[in-house]
């Protein structure tokens, strides 16, 4: 849906009272987002169809969003229509990685609540998120699309296999699976967690790895995060599993960006984003290997 069609679709939704004002919001790597004002209040409208190459199915996002709102983690869902999701607007400040590091304990507590509480409110079919399946599926997509870095895929998949072996069996929680700093909002009283495109049952280590890698945690911050989440100091086995999943999360973000280079129509510099994440993956891979 192009921008003109998106604006028409938003204006024609049956939920508004009086005239509406629509402003585009910045950010968003898989959706267009708009701030809408009507006679009552302000809302955020997320515009986006299913994106099968990324495993994004909007029925799943809607179910996760409703459940997250029901347990007080995310803003309320006001209305849903094909390709459109209307949410209450949170009047607050979007976090940066510095904010996440400074408020690490609060962010972690919110993520832990999501893992624990959202399953009680979920209704209907829900997806799972297995990073190693995602990596293999992205590799097929990149070969089929003749990605500019397709020649590197055999090496990356070999590493992914080693990471999967190191990660071992997993416990399942309901993961957000996209813990970028911008998905945390502080309204001055509390934190909110938004954007449930990739939500699904997953190992908690994926969200913990994403919280760390996306926000520049150091080794000491990782140690304290693991201790706080699991209520006990981590042992060597947990540290190795965590590093393996963190590495896999960075490889997934890199391949996600490569796939987006081929398929996305949004005005995002995916080539630069790919380079940034591959560099982060290589650093994490070296740390994983050196730790033994």
């Amino acid at each position: 849906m192009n921008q003109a069609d998106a604006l028409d679709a938003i204006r024609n939704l049956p939920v508004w009272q009086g005239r509406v004002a629509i402003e585009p919001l910045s950010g968003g790597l898989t959706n267009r987002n708009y701030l809408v004002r009507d006679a009552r209040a302000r809302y955020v409208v997320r515009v986006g169809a299913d994106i099968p190459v990324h495993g994004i199915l909007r029925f799943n996002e809607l179910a996760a969003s409703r459940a997250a709102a029901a347990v007080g983690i995310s803003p309320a869902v006001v209305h849903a229509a094909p390709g459109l999701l209307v949410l209450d607007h949170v009047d607050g400040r979007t976090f940066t990685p510095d904010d996440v590091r400074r408020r690490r304990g609060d962010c972690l507590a919110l993520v832990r609540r999501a893992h624990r509480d959202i399953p009680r409110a979920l209704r209907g079919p829900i997806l799972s998120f297995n990073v190693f399946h995602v990596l293999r599926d992205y590799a097929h997509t990149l070969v089929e699309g003749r990605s500019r870095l397709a020649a590197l895929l055999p090496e990356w998949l070999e590493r992914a296999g080693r990471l999967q072996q190191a990660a071992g069996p997993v416990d399942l929680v309901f993961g957000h699976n996209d813990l970028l700093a911008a998905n945390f909002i502080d309204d001055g009283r509390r934190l909110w967690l938004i954007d449930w495109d990739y939500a699904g049952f997953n190992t908690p280590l994926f969200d913990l790895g994403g919280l760390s890698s996306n926000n520049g945690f150091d080794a000491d911050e990782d140690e304290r995060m693991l201790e706080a989440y699991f209520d006990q100091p981590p042992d060597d086995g947990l540290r190795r599993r965590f590093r393996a999943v963190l590495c896999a999360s960075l490889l997934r973000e890199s391949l996600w960006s490569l796939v987006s280079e081929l398929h996305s129509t949004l005005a995002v510099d995916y080539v630069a984003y790919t380079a940034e994440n591959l560099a982060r993956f290589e650093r994490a891979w070296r740390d994983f290997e050196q730790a033994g």
Side-chain angles (χ1 to χ4, degrees):
M1 188 184 304
N2 63 37
Q3 180 157 303
D5 290 340
L7 292 174
D8 285 341
I10 292 170
R11 289 190 190 97
N12 291 325
L13 288 173
V15 295
W16 313 127
Q17 288 192 4
R19 297 180 64 181
V20 297
I22 307 172
E23 300 174 25
L25 293 172
S26 61
L29 296 175
T30 53
N31 307 279
R32 290 186 175 92
N33 300 299
Y34 298 87
L35 176 66
V36 178
R37 296 177 176 87
D38 72 357
R40 292 173 302 181
R42 292 188 294 174
Y43 309 89
V44 171
V45 180
R46 292 168 58 78
V47 179
D50 290 349
I51 311 177
V53 293
H54 287 312
I56 295 177
L57 300 176
R58 299 301 177 180
F59 82 86
N60 186 74
E61 179 188 4
L62 176 59
S65 298
R66 284 174 168 160
V71 299
I73 288 170
S74 203
V77 175
V78 176
H79 183 76
L84 299 165
L85 181 62
V86 183
L87 304 161
D88 275 343
H89 176 261
V90 175
D91 188 10
R93 184 172 61 85
T94 300
F95 268 16
T96 66
D98 285 343
D99 294 318
V100 173
R101 291 194 301 273
R102 181 173 53 84
R103 299 279 300 277
R104 183 187 69 250
D106 294 330
C107 292
L108 181 63
L110 188 61
V111 170
R112 195 179 184 190
R113 277 185 58 205
H115 290 176
R116 180 192 65 217
D117 294 348
I118 287 177
R120 300 195 312 238
L122 285 169
R123 297 294 306 275
I126 290 293
L127 300 179
S128 63
F129 188 102
N130 180 328
V131 64
F132 300 105
H133 164 71
V134 172
L135 291 172
R136 290 187 289 268
D137 189 54
Y138 276 162
H140 287 297
T141 300
L142 292 168
V143 169
E144 291 162 0
R146 298 184 179 181
S147 167
R148 62 188 179 86
L149 297 183
L152 296 175
L153 287 167
E155 178 185 350
W156 288 337
L157 288 178
E158 190 275 332
R159 292 186 189 182
R162 291 170 61 186
L163 293 171
Q164 184 170 15
Q165 185 175 18
V170 301
D171 296 320
L172 289 179
V173 299
F174 191 77
H176 180 278
N177 303 320
D178 192 25
L179 289 180
L180 302 171
N183 288 333
F184 292 93
I185 298 176
D186 182 0
D187 70 2
R189 300 179 302 276
R190 52 156 295 179
L191 297 186
W192 301 84
L193 185 57
I194 61 168
D195 293 3
W196 298 89
D197 310 50
Y198 297 98
F201 286 99
N202 195 0
T203 168
L205 295 177
F206 189 85
D207 270 348
L208 298 182
L211 196 63
S212 171
S213 64
N214 290 326
N215 299 291
F217 288 11
D218 61 25
D220 182 60
E221 288 168 323
D222 286 344
E223 190 82 0
R224 285 182 283 164
M225 176 181 65
L226 292 172
E227 181 171 359
Y229 185 90
F230 292 104
D231 293 321
Q232 60 184 3
D235 59 19
D236 288 343
L238 176 58
R239 291 188 190 98
R240 180 164 177 76
R241 292 194 300 276
F242 168 73
R243 291 190 192 101
V245 177
L246 184 153
C247 256
S249 76
L250 285 169
L251 182 55
R252 176 262 174 192
E253 196 73 7
S254 303
L255 299 195
W256 176 93
S257 188
L258 281 169
V259 169
S260 297
E261 289 180 28
L262 298 175
H263 290 277
S264 179
T265 60
L266 298 180
V268 175
D269 187 351
Y270 291 111
V271 172
Y273 193 68
T274 298
E276 173 190 342
N277 281 283
L278 282 174
R280 293 163 65 203
F281 167 66
E282 291 295 343
R283 289 194 296 271
W285 176 258
R286 288 195 297 271
D287 290 344
F288 172 77
E289 286 200 305
Q290 289 169 5

